[in-house]
Amino acid sequence: MKFASLIVANLLRRKLRTGLTLVSVTVAFILYAYLSAIRVGLSQGVDVAGADRMLVWHAVSLAQPLPLSYLDRIKRIPGVDLVVHQSWFGGIYQNPRNFFAQMPVDPEPFLRMYPEFLLPEAQKQAWLRTRTGAIAGRATAERFGWKVGDRIPLQTGIWTKQDGSMTWEFDLVGIFDGAKQGTDTTPFYFRYDYFDETRRIGKGLVGWYVVRVTDPDLAPQVARAINEEFANSSAEVKAESEKAFLQGWAKQVGDIGTILTAILTAVFFTILLVAGNTMAQSVRERTEELGVLKAVGFTHEQVLGLVLVESCLLSGLGAAVGLGIGRVLTAAGDPTGGALPVFFFPPRDMVLGAGLGVLLGLASGALPAWQAMRLRVADALRRG
Amino acid sequence: MKPSAGDSSSALVQVRGVEKYYQRGTERVHVLEELDLEVKRGEFLALMGPSGSGKSTLLNLIGGLDRPSRGSVTVAGERMERLDERGLAAWRARHIGFVFQFYNLLPALTAARNVELPLLLTLLGRADRRRRVELALSIVGLGHRLKHHPAQLSGGEQQRVGIARAIVTDPTLLLCDEPTGDLDRTSGEAVLDLLHTLCRQHGKTIIMVTHDPHASARADRTVFLYKGRIVDAIPA
Ligand SMILES: Nc1ncnc2c1ncn2[C@@H]1O[C@H](COP(=O)(O)OP(=O)(O)OP(=O)(O)O)[C@@H](O)[C@H]1O
Ligand SMILES: [Mg+2]
């Protein structure tokens, strides 16, 4: 630590250059934090998807409904633990831009199927009591400032009610939180029994089924059994694990992860050159000084260490500040207002970023440090 | 282990049959040839000679900054060719103080921090280091300039800081390469006075390269170097 003042003094010597380099590194790491959060948003849910959950939908397309009667038939298949159905409502709250998912479900089995949705017991009971009751995820509730007890009107272009009205009103009886940071808390769920009774068309149909298997290892067999069960029927089905389904969706979005990685690689390569250049310049203009250090007895390794610590300090500081700012900025949540319901900078990527900072320091300091180490005192001082 | 009594105990520096050449492509450039030199403990020696005669090269060899192509350099009983790079660095830190023509202070550090540099390699604690730094700076008459940066000091003052840095570890041997070469007469005189005092009162052995006959007159003895050899006088 007695060398600290020497290292700090060297960094502070060219304040502007050090400052600019620091800013470049910081900006790169803010970008890194943002892209990490975007990647999490795009691969939304894949990480938290239950390995034991499967989706069953119409073999033709997800948009084709399935009969409610399939529920009992799926239940009877060996290896199936629990089955729930979900449907797409696609209503509009005030303004088409206020997008969030809304689905009619059967509350009791639904909540058992998704333990990652944390709903207070009293609110659950209220939902079971209230036919027009609905629950919303924390993110959406906060977005629109909803409180339990509010009436939420949703416009629909598809689901005309018995009375001819196109406006559905729900009583918000609960707000759920996510058990994990990656849990999507934007959806809105209401009761299927109320929905099915009140709608004019499509009665007795559901969007898709979610199946929980008793053992994740059995999933492939169960999926095959389900497909066979409905083969040659009017509505054939396709079963797939939740994870595979979500990954498939993520692929559809395009391999954006690869693009993001490519962008980051380019950014860090540039920063490596910037930081490396700063260190190289700083070592070059200090040739005589490094020679003096050796003359007074510093070993080659000590001089190497000094330069490396200096470059690591520069990159490390930039990385720390950048990751910190990135953390704060991404904590503000989805910047797109709905397109990325899950948006956060995961701690794992933060640790990775810190490692990247150190690596950047070592890489940018390696060549100058090596030159400083090889410097012969007699040559270094000759230039004076 | 001290060498046997006799002349070697009084000779702090022994240069024996030293040759130094550099390879430039196929050509071999001889800088020092068959050079013998002894410097007694407590002696103030001036080294003179025309530019390119090998004065700095010789000083670097004695200070362990460079190695001879042939021959041996012994300082304080230590044969330098027996030390590896790391051992040489440690040996330098303990026994040698360098004073350079252009002072070579670190501009980013204060006078006190500059003087402290060699002490960072010792096991001394912060308080001890501070005490030694203050002592060294007061010996060179700059006890009041601890917090000044080199840019805030005159050339003569900077050189005295350089000398303080050279003596702070209390080395046996001071190697000064044209210490007054960049100074005016008055500041140069002050530096020479200081070196003289260090030799006489503090018992330092000093080898000083200089072009200035006035400076060499302050030394106990002057050795002339010409085309890599020691001569009695510089040919006109
Ligand atoms: N690394 C090197 N490679 C090649 N030649 C060198 C090298 N170092 C020194 N020389 C040569 O050795 C000779 C002696 O150099 P040195 O610096 O010892 O001279 P000097 O007596 O100190 O001169 P000055 O009074 O100008 O300082 C010069 O001709 C120089 O060019
Ligand atoms: Mg010279």
Side-chain angles (χ1 to χ4, degrees), chain A residues 118-162:
Chain A
L118 305 177
L119 185 70
E121 181 60 26
Q123 297 184 358
K124 177 184 167 188
Q125 293 307 326
W127 198 21
L128 294 175
R129 276 195 313 272
T130 317
R131 278 172 60 76
T132 55
I135 60 169
R138 180 70 62 193
T140 294
E142 279 179 357
R143 182 172 169 204
F144 302 115
W146 293 344
K147 285 178 295 298
V148 169
D150 285 357
R151 286 214 84 156
I152 312 298
L154 297 179
Q155 305 290 330
T156 160
I158 318 165
W159 308 113
T160 315
K161 296 206 291 192
Q162 297 284 12

Side-chain angles (χ1 to χ4, degrees), chain B residues 199-212:
Chain B
C199 178
R200 290 291 178 271
Q201 285 176 22
H202 299 266
K204 301 287 170 224
T205 308
I206 300 178
I207 303 178
M208 173 180 72
V209 169
T210 183
H211 283 288
D212 181 7

Side-chain angles (χ1 to χ4, degrees), chain A residues 2 289 294 297 300 376 381, chain B residues 66 85 92 100 107 120 122:
Chain A
K2 50 189 175 182
E289 294 179 29
K294 290 188 179 184
H300 297 304
R376 291 179 63 254
L381 296 174
Chain B
D66 210 346
E85 283 297 314
R92 233 170 16 235
F100 309 97
L120 295 180
T122 66

